[in-house]
Amino acid sequence: MYNVKRFKSLVLLLVLSVGMAPYAFAAANSLYERLGGKQAIRAVVAQFVSNVGGDQRINHYFAKTNLTHLKAMLVDQICAGSGGPCKYKGRDMKTAHKGMGISDADFKALVEDLVKALDKFKVAKKEQDDLLGLLGPMKGDIVGQ
Ligand code: HEM
């Protein structure tokens, strides 16, 4: 009798462990975790915005922008989008870029500035691709608005 109970408990434990494993695995392997969490995202965003500031092709767009606010919004957006514990409270991408007349070339330049920042912090190719995969689909709401 004791052994049957014990066996049942063991089976239950096994079923629970196997059942929960994908969730634990997913949380530990979110892009947010793989990027190194909020501090790492902050560092990349600071470098990214600095690169944009030095980029003659597109820095004129940011002449009147509050860069501290922009950085905070980008950190929250990337943190939230990559599965981190943040909430993005900024404007939606269509509204934020409305009337700017951002072109394909501008968008490409900004992505180059981001990749430069990711390279500087030695973010691996897989994580770079995943991050660009997250931001890329926003292009339609940003270019030509
Ligand atoms: C995937 C690409 C991009 C993402 C994820 C992105 C994200 C953002 C975010 C989160 C904000 C802040 C919104 C807010 O304050 O409510 C913002 C603002 C801004 N973005 Fe972008 N952006 C992208 C591409 C671009 C490009 C290509 C340009 C121009 C070359 C640009 C120019 C600006 C400017 C000038 C602002 C500040 C607007 C202001 O000062 O009110 N963005 N963007």
Side-chain angles (χ1 to χ4, degrees):
M1 189 61 176
Y2 171 71
N3 276 339
V4 171
K5 257 190 175 172
R6 200 180 147 96
F7 178 71
K8 277 186 179 167
S9 313
L10 273 174
V11 169
L12 186 67
L13 193 70
L14 187 73
V15 168
L16 279 175
S17 317
V18 171
M20 296 306 285
Y23 299 99
F25 191 74
N29 283 279
S30 66
L31 176 58
Y32 174 79
E33 295 293 336
R34 287 184 284 124
L35 285 171
K38 201 159 178 179
Q39 277 309 110
I41 293 173
R42 271 200 198 108
V44 167
V45 165
Q47 184 62 52
F48 167 41
V49 170
S50 161
N51 292 347
V52 169
D55 188 339
Q56 303 269 321
R57 296 172 294 177
I58 53 172
N59 57 9
H60 58 95
Y61 283 104
F62 298 86
K64 290 181 186 159
T65 298
N66 176 340
L67 296 180
T68 306
H69 174 78
L70 178 66
K71 281 187 260 188
M73 290 300 102
L74 286 168
V75 169
D76 281 350
Q77 189 185 40
I78 292 172
C79 169
S82 62
C86 308
K87 200 167 158 39
Y88 173 65
K89 294 186 187 136
R91 292 167 290 168
D92 65 82
M93 290 299 93
K94 241 186 185 154
T95 310
H97 301 91
K98 209 181 171 107
M100 291 189 196
I102 296 169
S103 68
D104 259 330
D106 295 331
F107 191 88
K108 198 162 166 268
L110 181 123
V111 170
E112 278 174 28
D113 293 337
L114 173 58
V115 170
K116 258 190 216 159
L118 292 165
D119 282 343
K120 182 152 187 175
F121 284 95
K122 307 216 178 323
V123 173
K125 178 86 169 69
K126 162 88 177 123
E127 279 65 43
Q128 293 204 15
D129 287 349
D130 287 355
L131 180 60
L132 295 178
L134 188 73
L135 303 179
M138 297 175 186
K139 184 175 173 183
D141 284 343
I142 293 168
V143 169
Q145 296 301 318

